[in-house]
Short mmCIF file of all heavy atoms in Angstrom, two decimals:
data_model
loop_
_atom_site.label_atom_id
_atom_site.label_comp_id
_atom_site.label_asym_id
_atom_site.label_seq_id
_atom_site.Cartn_x
_atom_site.Cartn_y
_atom_site.Cartn_z
N MET A 1 84.86 62.73 186.58
CA MET A 1 84.06 61.54 186.38
C MET A 1 83.70 60.97 187.75
O MET A 1 84.54 60.79 188.60
CB MET A 1 84.86 60.53 185.53
CG MET A 1 84.13 59.28 185.25
SD MET A 1 84.79 58.34 183.85
CE MET A 1 86.34 57.77 184.48
N THR A 2 82.43 60.67 187.93
CA THR A 2 81.97 60.13 189.21
C THR A 2 82.29 58.65 189.29
O THR A 2 82.60 58.00 188.29
CB THR A 2 80.45 60.33 189.38
OG1 THR A 2 79.80 59.56 188.40
CG2 THR A 2 80.06 61.79 189.25
N ASP A 3 82.22 58.11 190.49
CA ASP A 3 82.48 56.68 190.67
C ASP A 3 81.46 55.83 189.91
O ASP A 3 81.80 54.80 189.36
CB ASP A 3 82.43 56.33 192.16
CG ASP A 3 83.65 56.87 192.91
OD1 ASP A 3 84.69 57.09 192.25
OD2 ASP A 3 83.55 57.08 194.13
N LEU A 4 80.21 56.31 189.87
CA LEU A 4 79.18 55.56 189.15
C LEU A 4 79.51 55.48 187.67
O LEU A 4 79.43 54.42 187.05
CB LEU A 4 77.81 56.22 189.36
CG LEU A 4 76.64 55.53 188.67
CD1 LEU A 4 76.47 54.11 189.18
CD2 LEU A 4 75.37 56.33 188.88
N MET A 5 79.90 56.61 187.08
CA MET A 5 80.26 56.60 185.66
C MET A 5 81.49 55.73 185.42
O MET A 5 81.55 54.99 184.46
CB MET A 5 80.53 58.02 185.16
CG MET A 5 79.27 58.75 184.72
SD MET A 5 79.59 60.38 184.08
CE MET A 5 80.67 60.08 182.72
N GLY A 6 82.46 55.84 186.30
CA GLY A 6 83.69 55.06 186.15
C GLY A 6 83.43 53.58 186.22
O GLY A 6 83.95 52.80 185.41
N SER A 7 82.58 53.17 187.14
CA SER A 7 82.29 51.74 187.26
C SER A 7 81.50 51.25 186.04
O SER A 7 81.72 50.14 185.58
CB SER A 7 81.53 51.45 188.55
OG SER A 7 80.25 52.05 188.52
N THR A 8 80.60 52.09 185.52
CA THR A 8 79.84 51.70 184.34
C THR A 8 80.75 51.55 183.13
O THR A 8 80.63 50.60 182.36
CB THR A 8 78.75 52.75 184.04
OG1 THR A 8 77.94 52.91 185.20
CG2 THR A 8 77.88 52.34 182.89
N VAL A 9 81.69 52.47 182.97
CA VAL A 9 82.64 52.40 181.86
C VAL A 9 83.50 51.15 181.99
O VAL A 9 83.74 50.43 181.01
CB VAL A 9 83.50 53.67 181.80
CG1 VAL A 9 84.65 53.50 180.82
CG2 VAL A 9 82.65 54.87 181.44
N HIS A 10 83.95 50.86 183.19
CA HIS A 10 84.79 49.67 183.41
C HIS A 10 84.00 48.39 183.14
O HIS A 10 84.54 47.44 182.57
CB HIS A 10 85.36 49.67 184.83
CG HIS A 10 86.42 50.70 185.04
ND1 HIS A 10 87.66 50.62 184.45
CD2 HIS A 10 86.41 51.85 185.76
CE1 HIS A 10 88.37 51.67 184.80
NE2 HIS A 10 87.63 52.45 185.60
N GLU A 11 82.73 48.38 183.54
CA GLU A 11 81.90 47.20 183.26
C GLU A 11 81.70 47.01 181.76
O GLU A 11 81.79 45.90 181.25
CB GLU A 11 80.54 47.34 183.95
CG GLU A 11 80.61 47.22 185.46
CD GLU A 11 79.28 47.52 186.12
OE1 GLU A 11 78.24 47.52 185.41
OE2 GLU A 11 79.28 47.76 187.33
N LEU A 12 81.45 48.11 181.06
CA LEU A 12 81.27 48.03 179.61
C LEU A 12 82.55 47.56 178.93
O LEU A 12 82.52 46.71 178.05
CB LEU A 12 80.84 49.39 179.06
CG LEU A 12 80.59 49.47 177.56
CD1 LEU A 12 79.52 48.49 177.12
CD2 LEU A 12 80.23 50.88 177.15
N LEU A 13 83.67 48.12 179.34
CA LEU A 13 84.96 47.71 178.78
C LEU A 13 85.22 46.23 179.04
O LEU A 13 85.66 45.50 178.14
CB LEU A 13 86.08 48.57 179.36
CG LEU A 13 87.49 48.26 178.87
CD1 LEU A 13 87.58 48.45 177.36
CD2 LEU A 13 88.51 49.14 179.58
N ALA A 14 84.89 45.77 180.24
CA ALA A 14 85.08 44.35 180.57
C ALA A 14 84.20 43.46 179.69
O ALA A 14 84.65 42.41 179.22
CB ALA A 14 84.79 44.11 182.05
N GLN A 15 82.95 43.90 179.44
CA GLN A 15 82.06 43.11 178.59
C GLN A 15 82.55 43.06 177.14
O GLN A 15 82.50 42.02 176.49
CB GLN A 15 80.64 43.69 178.63
CG GLN A 15 79.95 43.47 179.95
CD GLN A 15 78.58 44.14 179.99
OE1 GLN A 15 78.07 44.62 178.97
NE2 GLN A 15 77.98 44.16 181.17
N VAL A 16 83.05 44.21 176.64
CA VAL A 16 83.57 44.26 175.27
C VAL A 16 84.79 43.34 175.14
O VAL A 16 84.90 42.57 174.18
CB VAL A 16 83.92 45.71 174.87
CG1 VAL A 16 84.74 45.75 173.59
CG2 VAL A 16 82.65 46.53 174.71
N LEU A 17 85.68 43.42 176.09
CA LEU A 17 86.89 42.59 176.05
C LEU A 17 86.54 41.10 176.17
O LEU A 17 87.16 40.26 175.52
CB LEU A 17 87.87 43.01 177.12
CG LEU A 17 88.51 44.40 176.92
CD1 LEU A 17 89.40 44.76 178.12
CD2 LEU A 17 89.28 44.46 175.62
N ALA A 18 85.55 40.78 177.01
CA ALA A 18 85.16 39.38 177.18
C ALA A 18 84.54 38.84 175.89
O ALA A 18 84.76 37.69 175.52
CB ALA A 18 84.18 39.25 178.34
N ARG A 19 83.75 39.67 175.20
CA ARG A 19 83.05 39.19 174.01
C ARG A 19 83.94 39.20 172.77
O ARG A 19 83.90 38.27 171.97
CB ARG A 19 81.82 40.05 173.76
CG ARG A 19 81.02 39.57 172.55
CD ARG A 19 79.75 40.32 172.36
NE ARG A 19 78.82 39.98 173.43
CZ ARG A 19 77.61 40.50 173.54
NH1 ARG A 19 77.19 41.36 172.66
NH2 ARG A 19 76.83 40.15 174.52
N TYR A 20 84.73 40.27 172.58
CA TYR A 20 85.48 40.43 171.33
C TYR A 20 86.99 40.22 171.48
O TYR A 20 87.67 40.10 170.48
CB TYR A 20 85.22 41.82 170.74
CG TYR A 20 83.76 42.02 170.40
CD1 TYR A 20 82.92 42.71 171.25
CD2 TYR A 20 83.23 41.49 169.22
CE1 TYR A 20 81.58 42.89 170.94
CE2 TYR A 20 81.90 41.66 168.91
CZ TYR A 20 81.07 42.35 169.78
OH TYR A 20 79.75 42.52 169.48
N GLY A 21 87.50 40.22 172.68
CA GLY A 21 88.92 39.97 172.89
C GLY A 21 89.77 41.23 172.90
O GLY A 21 90.77 41.30 173.60
N SER A 22 89.40 42.23 172.09
CA SER A 22 90.14 43.49 172.08
C SER A 22 89.25 44.61 171.56
O SER A 22 88.23 44.35 170.90
CB SER A 22 91.40 43.39 171.21
OG SER A 22 91.03 43.38 169.84
N ILE A 23 89.64 45.82 171.86
CA ILE A 23 88.90 46.99 171.38
C ILE A 23 88.98 47.07 169.86
O ILE A 23 88.00 47.44 169.19
CB ILE A 23 89.44 48.29 172.04
CG1 ILE A 23 89.21 48.24 173.56
CG2 ILE A 23 88.82 49.52 171.43
CD1 ILE A 23 87.76 48.24 173.96
N ASP A 24 90.12 46.73 169.29
CA ASP A 24 90.28 46.80 167.82
C ASP A 24 89.29 45.87 167.10
O ASP A 24 88.72 46.26 166.08
CB ASP A 24 91.72 46.44 167.43
CG ASP A 24 92.72 47.50 167.86
OD1 ASP A 24 92.32 48.68 167.96
OD2 ASP A 24 93.89 47.14 168.10
N VAL A 25 89.10 44.67 167.62
CA VAL A 25 88.15 43.73 167.01
C VAL A 25 86.73 44.29 167.14
O VAL A 25 85.93 44.23 166.19
CB VAL A 25 88.26 42.34 167.67
CG1 VAL A 25 87.17 41.41 167.16
CG2 VAL A 25 89.63 41.74 167.41
N PHE A 26 86.42 44.87 168.30
CA PHE A 26 85.10 45.46 168.51
C PHE A 26 84.84 46.61 167.53
O PHE A 26 83.78 46.67 166.90
CB PHE A 26 85.00 45.96 169.96
CG PHE A 26 83.74 46.74 170.24
CD1 PHE A 26 82.50 46.12 170.27
CD2 PHE A 26 83.80 48.10 170.50
CE1 PHE A 26 81.35 46.85 170.54
CE2 PHE A 26 82.66 48.83 170.77
CZ PHE A 26 81.43 48.19 170.79
N ILE A 27 85.82 47.48 167.34
CA ILE A 27 85.67 48.62 166.43
C ILE A 27 85.55 48.13 164.99
O ILE A 27 84.74 48.65 164.21
CB ILE A 27 86.83 49.61 166.60
CG1 ILE A 27 86.70 50.28 167.97
CG2 ILE A 27 86.85 50.65 165.49
CD1 ILE A 27 87.87 51.17 168.35
N ALA A 28 86.32 47.11 164.61
CA ALA A 28 86.22 46.56 163.26
C ALA A 28 84.82 45.99 163.03
O ALA A 28 84.24 46.16 161.95
CB ALA A 28 87.28 45.48 163.05
N ARG A 29 84.28 45.33 164.03
CA ARG A 29 82.93 44.77 163.93
C ARG A 29 81.90 45.89 163.75
O ARG A 29 80.97 45.78 162.95
CB ARG A 29 82.63 43.95 165.18
CG ARG A 29 81.25 43.44 165.26
CD ARG A 29 81.07 42.18 164.48
NE ARG A 29 79.73 41.68 164.74
CZ ARG A 29 79.03 41.01 163.87
NH1 ARG A 29 79.55 40.73 162.70
NH2 ARG A 29 77.84 40.61 164.13
N LEU A 30 82.06 46.98 164.49
CA LEU A 30 81.16 48.13 164.34
C LEU A 30 81.23 48.69 162.92
O LEU A 30 80.19 49.02 162.34
CB LEU A 30 81.52 49.23 165.34
CG LEU A 30 81.06 49.02 166.78
CD1 LEU A 30 81.54 50.19 167.64
CD2 LEU A 30 79.56 48.89 166.87
N HIS A 31 82.43 48.81 162.39
CA HIS A 31 82.58 49.35 161.02
C HIS A 31 81.88 48.46 160.00
O HIS A 31 81.23 48.94 159.08
CB HIS A 31 84.06 49.52 160.66
CG HIS A 31 84.65 50.77 161.20
ND1 HIS A 31 84.35 52.01 160.71
CD2 HIS A 31 85.54 50.96 162.21
CE1 HIS A 31 85.02 52.93 161.39
NE2 HIS A 31 85.74 52.32 162.31
N VAL A 32 82.00 47.15 160.17
CA VAL A 32 81.34 46.22 159.25
C VAL A 32 79.83 46.40 159.33
O VAL A 32 79.14 46.47 158.31
CB VAL A 32 81.74 44.76 159.57
CG1 VAL A 32 80.83 43.78 158.83
CG2 VAL A 32 83.19 44.52 159.21
N LEU A 33 79.30 46.49 160.55
CA LEU A 33 77.85 46.65 160.70
C LEU A 33 77.35 47.98 160.15
O LEU A 33 76.27 48.05 159.57
CB LEU A 33 77.47 46.51 162.18
CG LEU A 33 77.62 45.11 162.77
CD1 LEU A 33 77.35 45.14 164.27
CD2 LEU A 33 76.71 44.13 162.09
N LEU A 34 78.13 49.03 160.32
CA LEU A 34 77.71 50.34 159.85
C LEU A 34 77.88 50.50 158.35
O LEU A 34 77.15 51.26 157.72
CB LEU A 34 78.49 51.44 160.57
CG LEU A 34 78.18 51.57 162.07
CD1 LEU A 34 79.12 52.59 162.71
CD2 LEU A 34 76.75 51.96 162.29
N ASP A 35 78.84 49.79 157.75
CA ASP A 35 79.08 49.92 156.32
C ASP A 35 78.20 49.02 155.47
O ASP A 35 78.10 49.19 154.27
CB ASP A 35 80.56 49.63 156.01
CG ASP A 35 81.48 50.70 156.56
OD1 ASP A 35 80.99 51.81 156.86
OD2 ASP A 35 82.69 50.43 156.70
N THR A 36 77.55 48.03 156.10
CA THR A 36 76.67 47.13 155.37
C THR A 36 75.45 47.91 154.90
O THR A 36 74.82 48.60 155.70
CB THR A 36 76.23 45.96 156.28
OG1 THR A 36 77.39 45.31 156.78
CG2 THR A 36 75.37 44.98 155.52
N PRO A 37 75.11 47.82 153.62
CA PRO A 37 73.96 48.58 153.13
C PRO A 37 72.66 48.12 153.78
O PRO A 37 72.49 46.95 154.12
CB PRO A 37 73.92 48.28 151.63
CG PRO A 37 75.01 47.33 151.35
CD PRO A 37 75.76 47.05 152.59
N THR A 38 71.77 49.04 153.94
CA THR A 38 70.47 48.76 154.52
C THR A 38 69.57 48.14 153.46
O THR A 38 69.56 48.57 152.32
CB THR A 38 69.82 50.07 155.03
OG1 THR A 38 70.71 50.68 155.95
CG2 THR A 38 68.48 49.81 155.67
N VAL A 39 68.83 47.13 153.85
CA VAL A 39 67.88 46.50 152.93
C VAL A 39 66.64 47.38 152.90
O VAL A 39 66.03 47.66 153.92
CB VAL A 39 67.51 45.08 153.41
CG1 VAL A 39 66.45 44.46 152.50
CG2 VAL A 39 68.75 44.21 153.47
N GLU A 40 66.28 47.84 151.70
CA GLU A 40 65.12 48.71 151.56
C GLU A 40 63.89 47.89 151.23
O GLU A 40 63.95 46.94 150.46
CB GLU A 40 65.36 49.74 150.46
CG GLU A 40 66.46 50.71 150.80
CD GLU A 40 66.61 51.80 149.75
OE1 GLU A 40 65.63 52.07 149.02
OE2 GLU A 40 67.70 52.35 149.66
N ARG A 41 62.76 48.29 151.80
CA ARG A 41 61.50 47.65 151.49
C ARG A 41 60.96 48.22 150.20
O ARG A 41 61.18 49.38 149.90
CB ARG A 41 60.49 47.90 152.60
CG ARG A 41 60.88 47.24 153.89
CD ARG A 41 59.85 47.50 154.92
NE ARG A 41 59.81 46.39 155.85
CZ ARG A 41 58.87 46.20 156.72
NH1 ARG A 41 57.86 47.04 156.79
NH2 ARG A 41 58.91 45.19 157.53
N PRO A 42 60.21 47.42 149.43
CA PRO A 42 59.62 47.96 148.20
C PRO A 42 58.59 49.03 148.53
O PRO A 42 57.98 49.01 149.60
CB PRO A 42 58.97 46.74 147.55
CG PRO A 42 58.90 45.70 148.61
CD PRO A 42 59.93 46.03 149.64
N ALA A 43 58.39 49.94 147.60
CA ALA A 43 57.43 51.02 147.80
C ALA A 43 56.02 50.45 147.85
O ALA A 43 55.71 49.44 147.23
CB ALA A 43 57.55 52.03 146.66
N ALA A 44 55.17 51.11 148.59
CA ALA A 44 53.78 50.68 148.71
C ALA A 44 53.05 50.92 147.38
O ALA A 44 53.30 51.92 146.70
CB ALA A 44 53.09 51.43 149.83
N VAL A 45 52.19 50.01 147.03
CA VAL A 45 51.43 50.13 145.79
C VAL A 45 50.14 50.87 146.10
O VAL A 45 49.46 50.58 147.08
CB VAL A 45 51.12 48.73 145.22
CG1 VAL A 45 50.28 48.83 143.97
CG2 VAL A 45 52.41 47.98 144.95
N ALA A 46 49.78 51.84 145.25
CA ALA A 46 48.55 52.59 145.44
C ALA A 46 47.35 51.68 145.23
O ALA A 46 47.35 50.85 144.33
CB ALA A 46 48.50 53.76 144.47
N PRO A 47 46.32 51.80 146.07
CA PRO A 47 45.14 50.94 145.90
C PRO A 47 44.40 51.26 144.60
O PRO A 47 44.45 52.38 144.10
CB PRO A 47 44.28 51.28 147.11
CG PRO A 47 44.73 52.62 147.56
CD PRO A 47 46.18 52.73 147.17
N ALA A 48 43.73 50.27 144.07
CA ALA A 48 42.97 50.44 142.84
C ALA A 48 41.77 51.35 143.10
O ALA A 48 41.25 51.41 144.21
CB ALA A 48 42.49 49.08 142.33
N ALA A 49 41.33 52.04 142.07
CA ALA A 49 40.18 52.93 142.20
C ALA A 49 38.95 52.11 142.54
O ALA A 49 38.77 51.00 142.06
CB ALA A 49 39.97 53.69 140.90
N GLY A 50 38.08 52.64 143.36
CA GLY A 50 36.84 51.96 143.69
C GLY A 50 36.85 51.37 145.09
O GLY A 50 35.83 50.91 145.55
N GLY A 51 37.94 51.37 145.76
CA GLY A 51 38.00 50.86 147.13
C GLY A 51 38.26 49.38 147.18
O GLY A 51 38.03 48.64 146.22
N ARG A 52 38.71 48.92 148.31
CA ARG A 52 39.07 47.52 148.42
C ARG A 52 37.89 46.60 148.67
O ARG A 52 37.99 45.40 148.56
CB ARG A 52 40.12 47.33 149.51
CG ARG A 52 39.62 47.63 150.89
CD ARG A 52 40.71 47.46 151.90
NE ARG A 52 40.13 47.53 153.23
CZ ARG A 52 40.65 47.04 154.29
NH1 ARG A 52 41.83 46.47 154.20
NH2 ARG A 52 40.07 47.13 155.45
N HIS A 53 36.72 47.15 149.05
CA HIS A 53 35.57 46.32 149.34
C HIS A 53 34.56 46.30 148.18
O HIS A 53 33.48 45.78 148.34
CB HIS A 53 34.87 46.80 150.61
CG HIS A 53 35.72 46.64 151.82
ND1 HIS A 53 36.08 45.42 152.32
CD2 HIS A 53 36.33 47.55 152.61
CE1 HIS A 53 36.84 45.58 153.38
NE2 HIS A 53 37.01 46.86 153.58
N ARG A 54 34.92 46.85 147.08
CA ARG A 54 34.02 46.87 145.94
C ARG A 54 33.81 45.45 145.43
O ARG A 54 34.76 44.69 145.27
CB ARG A 54 34.61 47.74 144.83
CG ARG A 54 33.72 47.84 143.63
CD ARG A 54 34.32 48.78 142.64
NE ARG A 54 33.46 48.81 141.46
CZ ARG A 54 33.48 49.76 140.58
NH1 ARG A 54 34.31 50.76 140.72
NH2 ARG A 54 32.69 49.73 139.55
N LEU A 55 32.56 45.09 145.18
CA LEU A 55 32.25 43.75 144.69
C LEU A 55 32.53 43.66 143.20
O LEU A 55 32.14 44.54 142.44
CB LEU A 55 30.78 43.40 144.95
CG LEU A 55 30.37 43.32 146.42
CD1 LEU A 55 28.86 43.11 146.52
CD2 LEU A 55 31.11 42.21 147.11
N ALA A 56 33.17 42.61 142.82
CA ALA A 56 33.42 42.38 141.40
C ALA A 56 32.18 41.75 140.79
O ALA A 56 31.53 40.91 141.40
CB ALA A 56 34.61 41.48 141.22
N GLU A 57 31.84 42.17 139.59
CA GLU A 57 30.69 41.60 138.91
C GLU A 57 31.13 40.35 138.17
O GLU A 57 32.11 40.37 137.44
CB GLU A 57 30.10 42.62 137.94
CG GLU A 57 29.53 43.83 138.64
CD GLU A 57 28.98 44.85 137.66
OE1 GLU A 57 28.76 44.49 136.49
OE2 GLU A 57 28.78 45.98 138.07
N PRO A 58 30.40 39.26 138.36
CA PRO A 58 30.77 38.04 137.65
C PRO A 58 30.62 38.24 136.14
O PRO A 58 29.76 38.98 135.69
CB PRO A 58 29.76 36.99 138.15
CG PRO A 58 29.12 37.60 139.35
CD PRO A 58 29.28 39.07 139.26
N THR A 59 31.43 37.57 135.38
CA THR A 59 31.36 37.71 133.92
C THR A 59 30.11 37.02 133.39
O THR A 59 29.64 36.03 133.94
CB THR A 59 32.61 37.09 133.26
OG1 THR A 59 32.77 35.77 133.75
CG2 THR A 59 33.83 37.91 133.54
N GLY A 60 29.56 37.59 132.33
CA GLY A 60 28.38 37.01 131.70
C GLY A 60 27.08 37.38 132.38
O GLY A 60 26.06 36.77 132.11
N THR A 61 27.06 38.34 133.26
CA THR A 61 25.83 38.75 133.92
C THR A 61 25.51 40.19 133.55
O THR A 61 26.35 40.91 133.03
CB THR A 61 25.95 38.65 135.45
OG1 THR A 61 26.98 39.51 135.87
CG2 THR A 61 26.25 37.22 135.88
N VAL A 62 24.33 40.58 133.89
CA VAL A 62 23.91 41.96 133.64
C VAL A 62 24.56 42.83 134.71
O VAL A 62 24.52 42.49 135.89
CB VAL A 62 22.36 42.08 133.71
CG1 VAL A 62 21.93 43.51 133.53
CG2 VAL A 62 21.73 41.16 132.71
N PRO A 63 25.17 43.94 134.32
CA PRO A 63 25.81 44.78 135.32
C PRO A 63 24.80 45.36 136.31
O PRO A 63 23.65 45.57 135.99
CB PRO A 63 26.47 45.89 134.50
CG PRO A 63 25.97 45.77 133.12
CD PRO A 63 25.32 44.45 132.98
N MET A 64 25.25 45.56 137.52
CA MET A 64 24.39 46.13 138.55
C MET A 64 24.08 47.59 138.19
O MET A 64 24.91 48.29 137.64
CB MET A 64 25.09 46.08 139.92
CG MET A 64 25.32 44.68 140.42
SD MET A 64 25.93 44.57 142.11
CE MET A 64 27.33 45.63 142.10
N THR A 65 22.85 48.02 138.54
CA THR A 65 22.46 49.40 138.28
C THR A 65 22.13 50.07 139.60
O THR A 65 21.91 49.41 140.61
CB THR A 65 21.24 49.47 137.35
OG1 THR A 65 20.14 48.82 138.01
CG2 THR A 65 21.51 48.81 136.01
N THR A 66 22.04 51.40 139.56
CA THR A 66 21.70 52.13 140.77
C THR A 66 20.26 52.59 140.76
O THR A 66 19.81 53.22 141.69
CB THR A 66 22.62 53.37 140.90
OG1 THR A 66 22.48 54.15 139.73
CG2 THR A 66 24.05 52.95 141.11
N THR A 67 19.49 52.26 139.71
CA THR A 67 18.09 52.66 139.64
C THR A 67 17.22 51.67 140.38
O THR A 67 17.59 50.52 140.60
CB THR A 67 17.60 52.77 138.17
OG1 THR A 67 17.75 51.49 137.57
CG2 THR A 67 18.41 53.80 137.42
N ALA A 68 16.01 52.10 140.77
CA ALA A 68 15.08 51.23 141.49
C ALA A 68 14.52 50.17 140.53
O ALA A 68 14.34 50.44 139.34
CB ALA A 68 13.97 52.06 142.07
N PRO A 69 14.22 49.00 141.04
CA PRO A 69 13.65 47.96 140.17
C PRO A 69 12.24 48.36 139.73
O PRO A 69 11.56 49.13 140.41
CB PRO A 69 13.62 46.71 141.05
CG PRO A 69 13.67 47.22 142.44
CD PRO A 69 14.38 48.52 142.40
N PRO A 70 11.79 47.84 138.59
CA PRO A 70 10.45 48.21 138.13
C PRO A 70 9.38 47.67 139.08
O PRO A 70 9.53 46.63 139.69
CB PRO A 70 10.35 47.54 136.75
CG PRO A 70 11.39 46.48 136.76
CD PRO A 70 12.45 46.93 137.71
N ARG A 71 8.27 48.46 139.20
CA ARG A 71 7.16 48.04 140.06
C ARG A 71 6.32 46.98 139.35
O ARG A 71 6.12 47.07 138.14
CB ARG A 71 6.26 49.23 140.37
CG ARG A 71 6.91 50.23 141.23
CD ARG A 71 5.93 51.34 141.51
NE ARG A 71 6.32 52.02 142.71
CZ ARG A 71 5.52 52.79 143.40
NH1 ARG A 71 4.28 52.94 143.01
NH2 ARG A 71 5.95 53.37 144.48
N PRO A 72 5.90 46.00 140.10
CA PRO A 72 5.04 44.99 139.45
C PRO A 72 3.70 45.61 139.05
O PRO A 72 3.13 46.41 139.76
CB PRO A 72 4.87 43.91 140.50
CG PRO A 72 5.36 44.48 141.79
CD PRO A 72 6.16 45.71 141.47
N SER A 73 3.21 45.24 137.89
CA SER A 73 1.94 45.80 137.44
C SER A 73 0.80 44.88 137.93
O SER A 73 0.95 43.68 137.99
CB SER A 73 1.90 45.92 135.92
OG SER A 73 2.14 44.67 135.32
N GLY A 74 -0.30 45.49 138.21
CA GLY A 74 -1.40 44.63 138.54
C GLY A 74 -2.31 45.16 139.50
O GLY A 74 -2.84 45.17 140.38
#
């Protein structure tokens, strides 16, 4: 083990002891965090057919058509 690694390990150990008081308390805390179930996000909902920008037709109106409008006579 190099001096750099040794000093890093000692610094980490000092921080753990300062924060938790003992290695046993630190390990118990890790076990609690690891054993806590993960909160799952709900599944994504599939978009409705027709796309999200499709215009809704107001109720009581004539539905839109794709044919050309009639030519004015005259």
Side-chain angles (χ1 to χ4, degrees):
M1 181 161 69
T2 65
D3 288 335
L4 180 61
M5 274 182 59
S7 66
T8 305
V9 170
H10 289 291
E11 289 173 17
L12 181 59
L13 180 60
Q15 289 177 10
V16 167
L17 292 176
R19 182 175 291 180
Y20 298 99
S22 73
I23 296 295
D24 291 331
V25 173
F26 173 69
I27 291 173
R29 174 83 174 148
L30 282 178
H31 279 288
V32 167
L33 291 174
L34 292 174
D35 292 341
T36 303
T38 304
V39 176
E40 294 185 24
R41 294 181 151 193
V45 177
R52 66 181 190 158
H53 295 293
R54 181 176 178 161
L55 296 174
E57 295 179 16
T59 52
T61 61
V62 177
M64 295 188 307
T65 62
T66 56
T67 61
R71 291 182 158 199
S73 57

